[in-house]
């Protein structure tokens, strides 16, 4: 085979290798399908936290059709994110969090209200996580109302109203924490239980955290989020010992 023929042969081989590699279906145990209504052009990213850093797992370029599909692999139920890069300077408004677990998931939303309009169906962890976020949103709305009332009271130097708001805020915070602890206890067989405990009430009374940890099923206790909760409790207890020793000195 002469040199031009050899070059042509290697070129064709390289093209075929790339084509076969690109056309091979992705393998994984999670299928994420969905639509972003109104999106004609953009990039969707599938993300997750790895070693405390948010990383991109996969991406889909949207050109015309607003449908998308991601295939990924998870070892256990884990929080993932769907991020839409709209280049509008507000990335936090363009990210949807959800529990990915083996099976099929559907995420349907809109371009203008990417996070707010998201309707997600999937496994049991996602179902309960969605319910948790719904209640948390109510708490957050009440929190915002109190902040607004507090701002107005400060402008008017209304000390009585400020004291009233302070009591209301502490009661609201207590309700939020108790709801999260009860939610975790009720869902002790799901990974969502230690996840919300670690991420939402990490500074709660150590006895509450201990109660949640002891209630977890053996499988969930061994999970990534279960281990995070156990490590958090261990760290908190060590800090309390050091604090007590310092107080004695």
């Amino acid at each position: 085979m002469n040199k031009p023929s050899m070059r042509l042969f290697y070129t064709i081989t390289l093209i075929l290798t790339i084509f076969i590699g690109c056309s091979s279906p992705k393998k994984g145990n999670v299928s994420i399908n969905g639509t972003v209504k109104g999106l004609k052009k953009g990039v969707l990213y599938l993300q997750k936290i790895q070693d405390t850093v948010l990383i991109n797992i996969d991406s889909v370029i949207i050109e015309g059709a607003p449908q998308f599909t991601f295939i990924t692999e998870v070892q256990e139920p884990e929080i993932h994110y769907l991020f839409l890069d709209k280049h509008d300077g507000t990335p936090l408004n363009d990210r949807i969090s959800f529990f990915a677990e083996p099976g099929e998931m559907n995420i349907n939303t809109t371009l203008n209200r990417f996070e707010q309009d998201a309707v997600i169906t999937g496994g049991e962890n996602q179902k309960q996580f969605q319910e948790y976020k719904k209640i948390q949103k109510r708490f957050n709305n009440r929190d915002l109302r109190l902040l607004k009332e507090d701002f107005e009271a400060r402008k008017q130097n209304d000390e009585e109203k400020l004291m009233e708001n302070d009591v209301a805020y502490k009661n609201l915070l207590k309700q939020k924490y108790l709801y999260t602890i009860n939610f975790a206890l009720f869902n002790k067989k799901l990974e969502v239980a230690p996840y919300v405990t670690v991420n939402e009430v990490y500074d709660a009374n150590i006895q509450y955290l201990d109660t949640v940890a002891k209630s977890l099923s053996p499988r969930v206790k061994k999970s990534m989020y279960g281990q995070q909760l156990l490590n958090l409790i261990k760290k908190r207890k060590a800090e309390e010992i050091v604090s007590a020793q310092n107080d004695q000195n």
Side-chain angles (χ1 to χ4, degrees):
M1 186 180 293
N2 57 38
K3 289 186 177 180
S5 298
M6 287 181 66
R7 283 199 297 269
L8 178 61
F9 171 78
Y10 286 126
T11 301
I12 292 173
T13 302
L14 178 60
I15 292 172
L16 285 173
T17 300
I18 294 173
F19 176 77
I20 292 170
C22 293
S23 61
S24 298
K26 292 181 180 179
K27 295 181 180 180
N29 58 2
V30 185
S31 175
I32 305 165
N33 306 291
T35 302
V36 182
K37 188 177 180 180
L39 179 62
K40 298 184 183 301
K41 192 172 184 179
V43 183
L44 284 169
Y45 293 92
L46 182 63
Q47 304 174 320
K48 74 172 185 176
I49 301 290
Q50 184 171 297
D51 299 326
T52 72
V53 177
L54 185 64
I55 64 167
N56 294 328
I57 302 172
D58 200 356
S59 63
V60 171
I61 298 174
I62 302 294
E63 290 184 333
Q67 290 80 22
F68 65 88
T69 296
F70 287 107
I71 304 293
T72 191
E73 182 83 19
V74 296
Q75 300 302 315
E76 59 185 78
E78 182 180 355
I79 285 289
H80 282 58
Y81 304 89
L82 183 65
F83 172 61
L84 172 60
D85 190 352
K86 295 192 296 187
H87 302 289
D88 61 357
T90 56
L92 292 179
N93 296 327
D94 305 328
R95 184 174 281 112
I96 298 169
S97 61
F98 63 95
F99 248 99
E101 53 190 303
E104 291 189 7
M105 299 195 68
N106 287 284
I107 303 177
N108 295 305
T109 186
T110 64
L111 174 62
N112 294 329
R113 289 167 49 87
F114 187 70
E115 183 181 2
Q116 298 93 325
D117 289 346
V119 176
I120 309 171
T121 57
E124 191 61 27
N125 273 285
Q126 174 55 35
K127 179 182 177 182
Q128 297 304 324
F129 184 50
Q130 201 156 277
E131 184 62 29
Y132 177 80
K133 290 200 294 184
K134 187 192 303 180
I135 302 300
Q136 283 296 97
K137 186 177 180 180
R138 295 177 190 171
F139 283 127
N140 293 337
N141 288 339
R142 287 165 61 187
D143 195 8
L144 288 173
R145 285 199 299 271
L146 281 174
L147 285 174
K148 185 178 179 181
E149 290 177 10
D150 205 56
F151 177 74
E152 293 297 328
R154 289 184 186 279
K155 281 173 43 177
Q156 298 173 18
N157 293 319
D158 189 341
E159 292 297 329
E160 185 177 345
K161 183 64 175 175
L162 287 171
M163 291 177 63
E164 181 183 316
N165 283 350
D166 185 56
V167 173
Y169 176 76
K170 288 177 180 177
N171 287 335
L172 177 62
L173 189 62
K174 184 179 179 181
Q175 290 174 26
K176 287 169 67 174
Y177 273 47
L178 288 176
Y179 170 73
T180 298
I181 296 299
N182 286 327
F183 172 89
L185 292 173
F186 185 78
N187 292 285
K188 59 190 177 183
K189 295 182 179 180
L190 297 173
E191 287 76 5
V192 69
Y195 174 79
V196 298
T197 304
V198 169
N199 286 274
E200 299 294 338
V201 294
Y202 61 91
D203 56 348
N205 187 301
I206 195 72
Q207 293 180 338
Y208 289 140
L209 301 183
D210 247 339
T211 299
V212 172
K214 290 175 181 177
S215 75
L216 298 177
S217 69
R219 179 183 61 80
V220 173
K221 193 173 291 186
K222 292 177 183 178
S223 72
M224 176 176 64
Y225 297 129
Q227 289 300 302
Q228 287 180 4
L229 176 57
L230 293 175
N231 289 335
L232 171 64
I233 293 171
K234 185 178 179 181
K235 180 182 177 182
R236 288 277 308 277
K237 287 182 176 180
E239 290 173 347
E240 288 186 1
I241 291 174
V242 172
S243 179
Q245 290 174 344
N246 290 336
D247 289 341
Q248 290 177 357
N249 297 332

